Amino acid sequence: MATWTKADIVDKVELDLDLQEEKIVTPGEMTGYVRAAVRDARAIIENIEADYYLAKAALSLVLGQDTYSLPDGIYSSKIRAIIYDEGAGGRYYEIKRIRQLQKFLKIAEESRFSSEQADYRYFLLDQSATDGVKIKLSRPSSVTSSSLATIWYLREANDLLLDADVCDIPEFIDYIFAHVKKSCLTKMNNGVSPPEAEAELEKEEKRMVDTLESQTADDDTTVEQDLSHYEEST
């Protein structure tokens, strides 16, 4: 599959729209159009195939510490799971999130009564705009280790800010092209989006959605029933 950088995308759009010598769309505006296209594609992908951008990282525990930063590049604080695994012969379990039902009482109870042998649980804390969102464990870590806890999360799409930045949605690059072209043509048409540009973007969005909806890792079509909310509310 071809690799497309931001510069490649801009070059193709300018060539297709005969903008190489034109100054109607500035480089800054073009970069904004490309980034907007990627953001919109990412949002559509998230609604259909959440694990498209699945990633993992170590959650490095520190003795006596109960608050930790989210992984770099996480999308909208989307944690899929945190797994605690002591290795062969040891315990392993999912560090469950403390959910809404009587959430604050549960937080107080777990902080007060949890022992060093109790399973960790967590919730997200957004103390301030400066600190950002943090992972708050139900009790301070009883060890220092970078190998015991693994966080599975959904990452952002690559932000195409620099010319050499690579688009990591290559199979849907035609959606990116259509989106950027629509933005350019709207600017060229005094703020009015041409119907043919709208139609082309709708066509590519439908193609992307249809492709995502039909993608499966194997032939297993069993629908998994999520019963975690029953467990978390007891």
Side-chain angles (χ1 to χ4, degrees):
M1 188 172 292
T3 298
W4 293 86
T5 65
K6 191 203 86 172
D8 295 331
I9 295 169
V10 171
D11 287 347
K12 177 166 175 53
V13 169
E14 289 183 340
L15 179 64
D16 290 351
L17 298 182
D18 197 20
L19 289 174
Q20 299 98 315
E21 306 301 326
E22 300 291 338
K23 304 298 181 184
I24 298 173
V25 179
T26 68
E29 287 174 326
M30 187 68 82
T31 296
Y33 296 159
V34 173
R35 297 176 74 193
V38 170
R39 286 195 302 271
D40 285 353
R42 177 67 179 89
I44 293 169
I45 291 169
E46 162 68 14
N47 287 333
I48 301 171
E49 179 49 64
D51 284 351
Y52 186 94
Y53 284 107
L54 183 65
K56 70 173 182 175
L59 180 62
S60 296
L61 300 173
V62 177
L63 179 65
Q65 181 175 317
D66 64 359
T67 305
Y68 298 87
S69 297
L70 292 170
D72 291 338
I74 191 171
Y75 176 74
S76 190
S77 304
K78 293 293 183 81
I79 295 175
R80 293 285 282 109
I82 304 177
I83 304 299
Y84 185 88
D85 188 352
E86 295 177 344
R91 293 188 305 156
Y92 63 94
Y93 60 90
E94 180 178 351
I95 299 177
K96 298 273 189 186
R97 185 171 180 174
I98 300 174
R99 299 288 180 175
Q100 295 299 328
L101 187 61
Q102 297 181 335
K103 175 176 180 176
F104 303 107
L105 180 59
K106 287 186 176 182
I107 290 170
E109 288 174 346
E110 299 218 6
S111 176
R112 179 173 294 191
F113 299 115
S114 290
S115 68
E116 289 191 359
Q117 286 72 45
D119 290 354
Y120 294 106
R121 298 186 74 188
Y122 82 96
F123 60 97
L124 295 180
L125 184 67
D126 191 351
Q127 192 70 30
S128 71
T130 303
D131 289 344
V133 180
K134 302 286 187 182
I135 297 170
K136 181 85 168 177
L137 294 182
S138 54
R139 63 177 175 84
S141 175
S142 56
V143 296
T144 294
S145 173
S146 60
S147 62
L148 289 176
T150 300
I151 179 169
W152 294 84
Y153 64 98
L154 305 181
R155 67 173 179 84
E156 289 277 11
N158 197 28
D159 188 16
L160 306 187
L161 183 60
L162 305 177
D163 283 348
D165 289 338
V166 176
C167 179
D168 55 5
I169 320 176
E171 63 269 57
F172 303 125
I173 194 66
D174 288 335
Y175 172 86
I176 303 298
F177 291 145
H179 198 296
V180 177
K181 288 178 183 178
K182 174 180 172 293
S183 296
C184 291
L185 290 167
T186 300
K187 171 77 183 295
M188 296 162 65
N189 200 36
N190 296 317
V192 179
S193 180
E196 60 272 20
E198 295 275 2
E200 182 66 18
L201 181 58
E202 288 176 6
K203 182 188 78 173
E204 293 303 334
E205 180 174 333
K206 183 178 185 305
R207 180 180 298 172
M208 179 167 63
V209 169
D210 289 347
T211 301
L212 289 167
E213 288 179 340
S214 65
Q215 278 181 345
T216 53
D218 50 40
D219 293 329
D220 186 356
T221 57
T222 302
V223 177
E224 294 184 358
Q225 187 176 8
D226 184 4
L227 301 177
S228 59
H229 62 287
Y230 291 111
E231 179 180 324
E232 290 162 350
S233 62
T234 57

